[in-house]
Amino acid sequence: MRAWLSMSLSLALAASVSAFAEAPRTALVIHGGAGVIERGSLSAEDERAIRADLGRALDAGQAVLNEGGAALDAAMAAVEVLEDSPWFNAGKGAVFNAEGGHELDASLMEGHTRRAGAVAGVRTVRHPIRLARAVMEHSPHVMLVGEGAEAFADTRPEIERVRPDWFDTERRRKQLQDARERAARQQAGRRQYRWGTVGAVALDAQGHLAAATSTGGMTLKRWGRVGDSPVIGAGTWADAGCALSATGWGEYFIRLAVAHEVCARVRLRGEPLALAAEAVVNGEVPALGGDGGAIALDARGNIAMPFNTPGMYRAWIAPDGSRGVAIYADE
């Protein structure tokens, strides 16, 4: 009897340990851009609003994961909330270009399938990340730009359209005026107004990863300039073991293929995610003259959030359920 009881308890314990070991582990990380974000640069009211919007984006993505949804859906859901916020340089909060308009870029990628979609230079699409997904799912292409991307949007009734001035905000208009004045004095304002992107990386209960990124680009940009955000491998990447969304000086992130480079180190060298992300974002990027940050996830739920600027808007829910929202470098 004792032997049978002992065996039963052992089997029950083994089953419990096995079930715990095999329990789905999800994770979600988001960012709202890196840049000159120092303590004292935001009013208490503005800081509360920014943290609240980061929290809402996190909730939107996590709700998808909690229901057993796909990482791609979770990442897109989080980014859409950030695109509707006036606090971040994407969608509603997009910066102005040199002509006083808006040119929006976005991309997303699903790790286990390597499917990807991207758009650049769109002007009337409320959620560019949704159009990027439509490119992935309903066209034979990966990236569409400008008038072509707008024409493709015309064929997709699910893509919400808005007037170009819907993206206008007074805060961004003041930044444009400040940048113009600095440029006129030949005191390049790029350091103040270069940054700004939103993004998300997600790990779902099936062990799949995805990444999504959206941006309004650079204040005062000209000639149809496109940064790293819609470039697969530069600002966005996901494979079976790693997903990354970047934010920073796009020209350098393109030249270094930052998103792919980090994940290649994980996949090919076997480097831990944190080490790989640190080496590229805080090593190779500044060595070349650039700066910025990134969020990354691996298939085990490890999180990395390196940046080399005074701050980066970021938030996360780890596999153990712990949650955080941060802005400054010392958080």
Side-chain angles (χ1 to χ4, degrees):
M1 180 66 177
R2 287 181 179 178
W4 177 85
L5 181 58
S6 177
M7 181 181 296
S8 297
L9 289 172
S10 297
L11 290 173
L13 179 60
S16 176
V17 170
S18 177
F20 178 79
E22 297 173 3
R25 291 165 55 84
T26 67
L28 177 67
V29 190
I30 65 173
H31 73 78
V36 182
I37 312 167
E38 299 173 323
R39 290 191 183 277
S41 63
L42 297 170
S43 70
E45 182 180 1
D46 288 352
E47 183 175 327
R48 282 194 298 271
I50 289 168
R51 290 180 185 271
D53 279 1
L54 288 169
R56 284 206 303 272
L58 207 57
D59 291 341
Q62 190 63 29
V64 174
L65 296 176
N66 288 343
E67 294 175 359
L72 190 68
D73 293 330
M76 191 173 80
V79 167
E80 284 187 351
V81 173
L82 297 174
E83 286 178 332
D84 276 341
S85 170
W87 294 107
F88 310 107
N89 178 17
K92 180 60 179 174
V95 299
F96 287 89
N97 62 18
E99 288 73 42
H102 306 278
E103 296 170 310
L104 312 177
D105 311 327
S107 65
L108 76 177
M109 188 169 185
E110 185 175 59
H112 67 293
T113 64
R114 299 289 182 94
R115 296 189 304 161
V119 295
V122 299
R123 298 172 182 266
T124 67
V125 176
R126 177 172 178 174
H127 294 119
I129 196 66
R130 187 169 288 274
L131 183 59
R133 183 163 182 174
V135 171
M136 180 186 79
E137 294 183 334
H138 302 293
S139 87
H141 309 301
V142 170
M143 179 184 285
L144 298 179
V145 303
E147 293 181 0
E150 295 277 343
F152 175 71
D154 290 341
T155 72
R156 305 304 311 171
E158 75 277 14
I159 300 299
E160 184 176 356
R161 312 297 285 279
V162 293
R163 288 169 49 92
D165 60 6
W166 185 86
F167 302 105
D168 293 0
T169 63
E170 287 307 310
R171 177 167 164 265
R172 296 303 190 191
R173 193 179 297 280
K174 183 179 184 305
Q175 287 183 351
L176 173 64
Q177 184 60 36
D178 289 348
R180 283 173 171 168
E181 291 174 359
R182 289 174 185 274
R185 296 195 303 267
Q186 296 184 341
Q187 297 176 359
R190 63 186 182 181
R191 292 198 65 85
Q192 285 80 5
Y193 305 124
R194 183 174 62 245
W195 301 287
T197 306
V198 306
V201 290
L203 171 67
D204 64 30
Q206 289 70 48
H208 298 154
L209 291 159
T213 311
S214 182
T215 188
M218 180 189 295
T219 298
L220 212 62
K221 64 181 178 179
R222 301 173 62 192
W223 307 305
R225 179 263 185 188
V226 176
D228 64 305
S229 296
V231 179
I232 300 300
T236 301
W237 180 262
D239 56 37
C242 174
L244 185 144
S245 172
T247 169
W249 197 340
E251 280 69 15
Y252 291 92
F253 281 68
I254 291 171
R255 289 163 63 185
L256 288 165
V258 165
H260 180 268
E261 179 71 9
V262 171
C263 291
R265 283 172 170 258
V266 173
R267 183 176 74 255
L268 302 176
R269 292 187 179 182
E271 289 184 0
L273 179 68
L275 178 63
E278 178 71 18
V280 178
V281 175
N282 288 339
E284 294 184 22
V285 170
L288 207 61
D291 45 20
I295 55 172
L297 263 177
D298 68 16
R300 296 181 178 179
N302 294 310
I303 294 171
M305 298 179 287
F307 59 98
N308 48 59
T309 57
M312 181 171 77
Y313 301 121
R314 58 204 188 275
W316 63 93
I317 298 178
D320 64 3
S322 60
R323 174 183 177 125
V325 175
I327 296 177
Y328 308 108
D330 58 358
E331 291 187 84

